Amino acid sequence: MRAYYFDNAPGDQRLPHDSGRAVSPSTLEAIGVLHWSIPIDESPAESHIRQINEVAQERQYRNRDVISVTKEGLGDAYESKIKMFYEEHMHEDEEIRYILKGSGFFDVREHPNDQWIRVHLSAGDLLVLPAGIYHRFTLDERNSVKTMRLFKDEPKWTALNRGPATDANPYRKTYLDSIRSARAVASSA
């Protein structure tokens, strides 16, 4: 994983858009974004699956599936799916992704300054986005990613695009309250 501030320059969303300003893991943690590096193990024992199972048990993820986002796999729907994933949105559940193959970018909004932080993920990266955080996803120039999605309950993916309704959403408000509380505790320590 590599994180940095998005440069906001025009151009293909699949390009790096690297501002040259790195973002530390502690900055990501401060906005509720969690990351594990669990290298893919192709041995018969598949230790990466054991490690994913441990994280899933600890965080109470009960379900999972695997999806591939490729032009070949999605056919005519490819471009529309890529555009849909890249719309700024939030979810009322955590978004958990473990990259099995390929790579891509998750952009997350830093609070309170509203800057985009770009997180480049590749095989072996596990990312957890908290419910209520504004984010978006795109492939990188390789145009291919295979991910395991983990869910606390039944698999679902409901994107709520940013707007006045999502700004007032109770999950968004809970997320913002948790960020403010964590900052207050950190500043009083």
Side-chain angles (χ1 to χ4, degrees):
M1 176 203 70
R2 192 168 75 83
Y4 52 88
Y5 288 100
F6 187 81
D7 67 8
N8 291 314
D12 188 335
Q13 68 197 37
R14 295 168 232 195
L15 296 175
H17 288 279
D18 190 343
S19 67
R21 295 175 21 226
V23 172
S24 69
S26 62
T27 298
L28 290 173
E29 286 178 28
I31 60 171
V33 176
L34 305 176
H35 172 264
W36 287 263
S37 179
I38 303 173
I40 303 291
D41 179 6
E42 299 295 335
S43 74
E46 294 185 327
S47 67
H48 68 283
I49 297 298
R50 274 196 324 274
Q51 291 177 62
I52 292 294
N53 290 342
E54 288 170 10
V55 172
Q57 183 175 8
E58 176 185 316
R59 297 191 59 81
Q60 300 176 0
Y61 302 145
R62 294 178 182 86
N63 291 295
R64 64 184 76 177
D65 66 11
V66 174
I67 62 164
S68 293
V69 180
T70 64
K71 188 166 182 71
E72 299 77 27
L74 294 174
D76 293 339
Y78 176 76
E79 290 298 330
S80 65
K81 286 286 188 190
I82 294 298
K83 286 179 184 170
M84 179 185 73
F85 295 153
Y86 201 62
E87 289 290 320
E88 183 174 4
H89 64 277
M90 59 158 263
H91 304 286
E92 293 181 341
D93 301 305
E94 288 183 347
E95 182 162 341
I96 307 100
R97 300 291 181 267
Y98 177 60
I99 309 298
L100 296 165
K101 187 176 180 182
S103 51
F105 299 109
F106 271 94
D107 297 337
V108 295
R109 284 285 189 188
E110 185 176 26
H111 184 76
N113 64 24
D114 221 27
Q115 291 185 69
W116 282 117
I117 295 173
R118 177 154 273 199
V119 182
H120 191 221
L121 301 173
S122 56
D125 286 319
L126 172 65
L127 189 75
V128 176
L129 302 180
I133 191 171
Y134 285 127
H135 65 282
R136 61 190 182 190
F137 173 79
T138 190
L139 295 174
D140 60 15
E141 294 173 285
R142 296 159 109 193
N143 291 312
S144 175
V145 72
K146 181 178 181 180
T147 67
M148 178 185 295
R149 304 184 305 173
L150 293 99
F151 304 92
K152 287 197 177 212
D153 295 307
E154 291 301 313
K156 66 178 181 178
W157 189 88
T158 304
L160 304 170
N161 288 347
R162 187 171 188 174
T166 51
D167 286 342
N169 180 291
Y171 289 88
R172 175 71 180 162
K173 288 183 173 193
T174 298
Y175 166 70
L176 293 176
D177 288 345
S178 72
I179 297 299
R180 287 183 199 111
S181 295
R183 284 199 176 114
V185 168
S187 67
S188 66

